[in-house]
């Protein structure tokens, strides 16, 4: 990244993502306070977290079918979505705690965030092809840090969840305005018309299909981890820390999620040199192993569990950027935005079920078994990347045979 316009635009986008995505895991960060105030049961608590995923899926599917990010100025789409999301989140302060209105507002917030995350990727992939792994890594790293931010806001705000929600709304609104200042790169392509049939490429193009499959394996564990690791850590730390366990869990959760976001950037740099599928495969192998180790350590020495959670958080997200970059590489440039948005829509459809299921599985089987089950997703994703890498080797062999 050498051109000043490119540096400035990517920096603005990164900052906008950090600030706007602070809305995403707000429910998870303030959930203990909501439960204490309103006596919420596990079903209502899960609904507050999973409503964001449902809203995101609906919003992402609508944007993908409509081709919004490919047909209109994506900066305006991002800014408008961020402002509406910020307003919906602020409305939590004036609605009954844990009620249907709050669940609906969280769903609306998720729908609007579909106009921030994948639309931001559409903008950033327009700034390069050879360094696309790094570019998307920066963006995904930024949104990951933003996703972790509510845990830090909640730590400083204490039990006043309303202050946390208000701070997150203010950050999101400011972030949306920053996104307007980003430029569109030389590889940005605009679609001339609506073409919902372009989404069929997700199945008919084998490279896209395998990139989607790997992403689904990754998403099996990612949001279940992000949404519930705070609650799991608090339960795991309780024996060793007593009343201090919730605060320690918040700090560890923030650090684990943020660490993964920071590692997206060097992972992207490496991916541009050794291959995006190879980096994604390595990240999933590490995260799956860390998940199993965390489950095995649960309820023992809390410091060991904390270290393993940090390792898990570090490995759970860097592959996400590479799945998006793989889709951008394989897709027609003028349809990349729609196909990346459709990819996220499918992934977040899956996360609705995993996020919703976690508290019920934990109540029935315990946290160790629940954490171990999350490793099934990385195992599936590793196999998808193995097949994609084999396609690359077969392509090279065919070229050598022709020579």
């Amino acid at each position: 990244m050498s051109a000043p316009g490119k540096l400035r635009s990517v920096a603005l986008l990164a900052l906008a993502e950090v600030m706007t995505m602070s809305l995403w895991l707000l429910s998870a960060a303030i959930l203990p306070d909501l439960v204490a105030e309103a006596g919420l049961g596990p079903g209502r608590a899960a609904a507050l977290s999973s409503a964001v995923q449902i809203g995101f899926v609906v919003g992402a599917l609508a944007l993908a079918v409509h081709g919004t990010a490919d047909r209109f100025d994506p900066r305006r789409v991002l800014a408008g979505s961020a402002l509406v999301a910020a307003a919906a989140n602020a409305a939590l302060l004036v609605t009954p705690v844990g009620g249907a209105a709050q669940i609906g507002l969280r769903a609306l917030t998720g729908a609007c965030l579909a106009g921030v995350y994948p639309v931001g990727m559409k903008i950033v992939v327009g700034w390069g092809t050879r360094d696309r792994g790094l570019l998307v890594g920066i963006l995904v790293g930024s949104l990951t840090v933003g996703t972790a931010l509510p845990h830090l806001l909640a730590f400083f705000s204490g039990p006043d969840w309303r202050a946390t929600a208000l701070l997150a709304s203010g950050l999101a609104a400011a972030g949306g305005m920053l996104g307007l200042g980003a430029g569109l790169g030389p590889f940005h392509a605009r679609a001339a018309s609506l073409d919902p049939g372009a989404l069929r490429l997700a199945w008919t193009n084998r490279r896209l299909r395998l990139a989607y499959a790997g992403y689904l394996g990754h998403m099996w564990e990612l949001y279940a981890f992000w949404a519930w690791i705070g609650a799991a850590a608090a339960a795991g730390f309780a024996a060793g820390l007593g009343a201090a366990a919730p605060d320690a869990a918040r700090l560890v959760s923030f650090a684990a999620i943020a660490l993964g976001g920071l590692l997206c950037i060097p992972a992207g740099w490496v991916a541009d040199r050794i291959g995006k599928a190879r980096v994604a495969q390595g990240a999933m192998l590490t995260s799956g192993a860390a998940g199993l180790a965390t489950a095995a350590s649960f309820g023992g020495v809390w410091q060991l569990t904390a270290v393993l959670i940090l390792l898990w958080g570090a490995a759970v997200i860097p592959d996400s950027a590479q799945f998006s970059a793989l889709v951008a590489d394989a897709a027609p440039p003028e349809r990349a935005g729609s196909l990346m948005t459709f990819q996220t829509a499918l992934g977040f459809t899956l996360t609705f079920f995993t996020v919703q299921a976690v508290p019920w599985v934990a109540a029935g089987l315990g946290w160790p078994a629940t954490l171990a089950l999350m490793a099934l997703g990385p195992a599936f994703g590793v196999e998808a990347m193995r097949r994609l890498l084999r396609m690359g080797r077969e392509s090279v062999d065919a070229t050598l045979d022709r020579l």
Side-chain angles (χ1 to χ4, degrees), residues 277 281 381-391 393:
Q281 186 180 57
V382 165
E383 173 61 18
M385 292 301 96
R386 185 190 68 80
R387 296 187 183 194
L388 187 57
L389 287 167
R390 188 174 64 186
M391 279 187 66
R393 288 192 294 270

Side-chain angles (χ1 to χ4, degrees), residues 76 170 255 257 300 305 335 366:
R76 294 184 178 182
I257 298 171
T305 303
R335 300 298 178 189

Side-chain angles (χ1 to χ4, degrees), residues 100-131:
Q102 283 200 339
I103 294 171
L105 287 169
R106 293 302 288 157
L108 176 59
T109 301
C112 292
L113 290 179
V116 174
Y117 167 27
V119 173
M121 288 195 294
K122 166 68 177 182
I123 299 171
V124 82
V125 298
W127 280 106
T129 53
R130 298 182 65 180
D131 60 347

Side-chain angles (χ1 to χ4, degrees), residues 34-35 37-38 40 44-45 47-48 92 95-103 161:
L34 295 176
V35 170
E37 180 175 325
L40 304 181
R44 185 69 66 169
L48 279 170
L92 292 174
T95 49
V97 177
Q102 283 200 339
I103 294 171
W161 67 266

